[in-house]
Amino acid sequence: MESVEVSAKTVDEAIDIALDELGLKRNQANIEILTPGKPGIFGLGGEQARVRVTALEEGTARPAAVEEESEDVPEGAVEVKDIHAEEVDLAVDYLRTLLELAGAEAEVSVRAPETAADGLGRATAVLDIEGEDLGLLIGRRGVTLSALQYLINVMVTRKLGSRVLVTVDVEHYHRRREDTLHGLAQRMADRVRNSRRPITLEPMPAAERRIIHLALVDDPYVMTGSVGVGDERKVVIRPRGDSQGGQRPQRPDFDGRGRPPGV
Amino acid sequence: MKELIEFMARAIVDNPDDVEVSEEDAGDHIVFHLKVAEEDMGRVIGKQGRIANAMRTLLKVAAIRRGARAILEIGEPAAGRQDPP
């Protein structure tokens, strides 16, 4: 299978170069981040990002569902900038003010994204909140944290006009949640494989649905899609080759590798 | 809580000077009325009400911190409960 490794200043840049080289779109390739890279100071001491991009076999393009799950941000392409970008400073200011006005005693620190859960390749920085009684800031299934992150990104975009994202995190909530979701995805995929029946998961925010889709994208037995709108949108895991609901026989016009209707 | 709503709304609208928040004591909870310039209504509400809901979620945090309950209504206070277009 065709594959290239590319180094560039940022992960996004490296991916773009590699895709260009292979003449592929994002959903036709498997992207591995080998080194996330680190921004240097005044161009010094930084580390280049390195990615490996492999062409997917014909007919195994990633389900559009993966690409469709927009992050908690305004629409459009996002830009990954240096961690010292003014967008990050403004985001920190906004977050500190919001926390203070909400009556939360908390500190904010900035770090570079390191994992998919940190928004690596999409987010410019992670804003870590530390302090007392942080459960309230996470909220049920992370809704409060998700709202906070969404608002901060909307506010920064409105003010500066650029599509630069930050991830807002509390005690590595996103990473812990990612681990949980990976476990859930595997358990549910096993269940679908054994029963040959689709399973619909609980409603989840876009970023979490995306983690489930990505966790199962290479699974030979199941495929994923999403149903519902807004806060009620849920991931559905189906046996591969099953376009409808698992109970009825396979339709002759469905090759089992495409995506089911309505995804 | 009023300051929180004002801060969030002013950062999002085109006309921050037109942002007004009034407060109404409804017995066991407080109702905050947020008023913005007509052309900014869409901005404070967002697609599928997403921005409005995010603001409500943060208001809830502020209210819980103070041991209170609060509701955020967006629109023209004088026009009652008319839903925005």
Side-chain angles (χ1 to χ4, degrees):
Chain A
M1 228 181 299
E2 236 187 320
S3 168
V4 294
E5 288 188 19
V6 171
S7 297
K9 224 157 65 189
T10 65
V11 168
D12 258 21
E13 219 175 284
I15 292 171
D16 285 346
I17 295 169
L19 289 174
D20 261 353
E21 211 160 296
L22 294 169
L24 296 172
K25 291 182 187 149
R26 265 192 197 221
N27 67 346
Q28 298 171 316
N30 186 38
I31 297 166
E32 288 167 80
I33 296 163
L34 304 173
T35 321
K38 280 185 209 128
I41 296 158
F42 306 121
L44 296 172
E47 192 191 330
Q48 291 231 305
R50 189 162 181 79
V51 301
R52 181 188 297 133
V53 173
T54 312
L56 293 172
E57 277 173 80
E58 198 93 22
T60 58
R62 264 166 199 269
V66 175
E67 308 302 326
E68 204 180 81
E69 306 291 16
S70 57
E71 301 284 319
D72 299 328
V73 287
E75 285 176 24
V78 298
E79 197 187 337
V80 179
K81 285 200 178 176
D82 185 280
I83 195 164
H84 304 292
E86 63 172 330
E87 286 86 354
V88 177
D89 289 343
L90 185 64
V92 171
D93 280 352
Y94 279 154
L95 182 56
R96 284 190 177 132
T97 308
L98 279 186
L99 291 171
E100 196 191 317
L101 290 174
E105 304 214 352
E107 303 281 323
V108 177
S109 61
V110 182
R111 64 180 168 87
E114 288 157 24
T115 66
D118 287 342
L120 183 66
R122 291 182 61 84
T124 290
V126 181
L127 277 45
D128 274 316
I129 304 173
E130 287 145 52
E132 310 261 301
D133 197 9
L134 296 173
L136 188 60
L137 285 180
I138 296 172
R140 193 169 133 77
R141 281 203 228 112
V143 285
T144 307
L145 193 55
S146 175
L148 199 52
Q149 174 172 316
Y150 179 68
L151 267 183
I152 294 289
N153 282 312
V154 167
M155 287 158 79
V156 171
T157 301
R158 292 283 305 150
K159 178 85 173 180
L160 297 176
S162 45
R163 301 204 180 276
V164 169
L165 302 186
V166 296
T167 300
V168 178
D169 204 358
V170 171
E171 290 170 337
H172 293 291
Y173 173 79
H174 294 295
R175 201 173 299 173
R176 284 187 281 129
R177 187 71 185 144
E178 188 180 37
D179 290 345
T180 307
L181 290 170
H182 279 160
L184 176 78
Q186 285 314 325
R187 276 200 314 281
M188 292 302 124
D190 287 347
R191 207 181 278 181
V192 169
R193 184 163 62 225
N194 293 331
S195 69
R196 303 291 301 160
R197 278 164 200 270
I199 289 180
T200 305
L201 306 183
E202 300 254 292
M204 283 173 201
E208 297 197 351
R209 293 197 304 271
R210 196 165 185 275
I211 289 170
I212 302 275
H213 293 310
L214 285 171
L216 297 177
V217 76
D218 291 327
D219 191 298
Y221 302 104
V222 301
M223 57 190 183
T224 60
S226 297
V227 294
V229 289
D231 290 345
E232 284 303 304
R233 202 156 163 82
K234 304 161 188 169
V235 173
V236 182
I237 305 174
R238 292 188 173 86
R240 266 189 202 269
D242 173 301
S243 64
Q244 287 296 315
Q247 281 99 342
R248 53 180 88 177
Q250 203 174 313
R251 288 195 309 191
D253 61 337
F254 191 70
D255 68 6
R257 290 185 301 189
R259 57 197 171 93
V263 172
Chain B
M1 288 185 274
K2 187 166 176 271
E3 293 76 19
L4 175 68
I5 299 165
E6 281 169 351
F7 178 75
M8 294 188 288
R10 288 201 173 117
I12 289 166
V13 298
D14 275 344
N15 307 282
D17 293 344
D18 293 345
V19 169
E20 270 176 47
V21 178
S22 58
E23 192 171 339
E24 182 195 327
D25 188 351
D28 63 340
H29 65 277
I30 309 164
V31 183
F32 290 94
H33 297 276
L34 167 63
K35 198 181 161 188
V36 299
E38 210 181 321
E39 67 203 71
D40 281 324
M41 281 299 281
R43 297 210 171 85
V44 289
I45 289 164
K47 241 187 232 167
Q48 293 167 350
R50 217 168 151 197
I51 293 178
N53 285 338
M55 292 198 291
R56 291 189 172 111
T57 302
L58 291 195
L59 174 63
K60 200 165 143 191
V61 171
I64 291 171
R65 285 270 171 200
R66 290 163 178 82
R69 287 180 56 211
I71 287 176
L72 175 63
E73 292 202 345
I74 301 171
E76 307 278 318
R81 291 177 165 270
Q82 200 182 351
D83 280 332

